[in-house]
Amino acid sequence: MKRVQRRLFVQVAMVVVIAAASGCSYNRFTGSEEAIKGQWGQVQNQLQRRNDLIPNLVETVKGYAAQEKEIFTSIAASREKLAGAKTPEETIKAANEQSAALARLLVIVENYPTLKSDASFRQLSEQLEGTENRIATERMRYNERVQEYNTLRRRFPSNVTAKVFGFKEYPYYEAPASSQAAPK
């Protein structure tokens, strides 16, 4: 009888310990998820800042480079995709397309020395460069939060909590393969 009681006591103790550990993991998951969401808001904030600057930059360049319609069309299309993105994956894809289009625009500027010396263009370029740096910083911070969360999600015993409560993996903000090549 004592043996059965001891075994029952051990089993109950294990359940209590696992439940307590699970509760701690649950709280860490919710905290990590909120950190990711907050950081994603910062990424979107900076992407919106860039989106707000683009029309001014495009209009300034259009006056000098009217024949470069293709690039302006692709920039406008990328802005529309970014505005219509509903998930982090769609936003990441649209933002990467926009980055590629802006890189091509800046290459075009190299062909127009008068434009580079224009004060309004210089100011917009500096604003856009600063925004790109902010976006890069916020992307990095977002990826750090995602890494912390995804690591927690895969570790034992919190992986059990993740499975029980349905905590899903978050996507990293990855640059597209085309960003490895210099724009033409």
Side-chain angles (χ1 to χ4, degrees):
M1 188 71 159
K2 285 185 177 184
R3 194 173 192 181
V4 172
Q5 285 178 339
R6 188 180 314 154
R7 186 178 286 167
L8 182 61
F9 177 75
V10 169
Q11 288 174 347
V12 169
M14 286 176 57
V15 168
V16 169
V17 168
I18 289 172
S22 178
C24 293
S25 295
Y26 181 84
N27 291 336
R28 287 182 59 201
F29 275 118
T30 55
S32 290
E33 272 191 330
E34 289 306 312
I36 289 171
K37 289 174 184 175
Q39 193 57 52
W40 181 248
Q42 283 302 104
V43 170
Q44 289 182 308
N45 181 31
Q46 293 307 319
L47 290 173
Q48 184 60 50
R49 185 174 193 271
R50 176 173 70 181
N51 242 10
D52 293 343
L53 284 172
I54 288 172
N56 295 326
L57 182 65
V58 167
E59 288 305 314
T60 302
V61 176
K62 267 186 182 177
Y64 287 91
Q67 68 274 19
E68 306 289 354
K69 285 190 174 197
E70 179 188 329
I71 189 66
F72 301 126
T73 304
S74 71
I75 289 172
S78 70
R79 285 187 73 226
E80 286 177 27
K81 285 181 184 176
L82 189 58
K86 295 190 181 357
T87 65
E89 292 84 358
E90 289 174 0
T91 303
I92 289 168
K93 184 178 180 200
N96 286 338
E97 287 178 21
Q98 192 173 60
S99 293
L102 288 172
R104 290 193 311 272
L105 175 65
L106 294 176
V107 168
I108 288 171
V109 169
E110 296 294 321
N111 296 324
Y112 298 93
T114 312
L115 177 61
K116 288 194 318 191
S117 65
D118 180 68
S120 62
F121 176 77
R122 273 197 329 263
Q123 181 184 13
L124 284 170
S125 293
E126 288 168 5
Q127 287 286 323
L128 191 58
E129 181 181 339
T131 300
E132 291 299 320
N133 288 337
R134 288 183 181 112
I135 290 170
T137 299
E138 297 305 337
R139 285 176 181 165
M140 178 193 68
R141 290 177 180 160
Y142 169 78
N143 281 343
E144 287 171 352
R145 301 295 170 275
V146 168
Q147 179 184 17
E148 291 167 5
Y149 171 86
N150 287 343
T151 301
L152 174 65
R153 194 178 158 276
R154 293 181 62 199
R155 285 189 180 151
F156 183 80
S158 57
N159 63 345
V160 175
T161 305
K163 192 168 208 136
V164 169
F165 290 101
F167 288 103
K168 302 292 182 204
E169 188 169 332
Y170 275 84
Y172 284 99
Y173 200 125
E174 295 179 2
S178 62
S179 68
Q180 301 297 321
K184 297 177 183 177

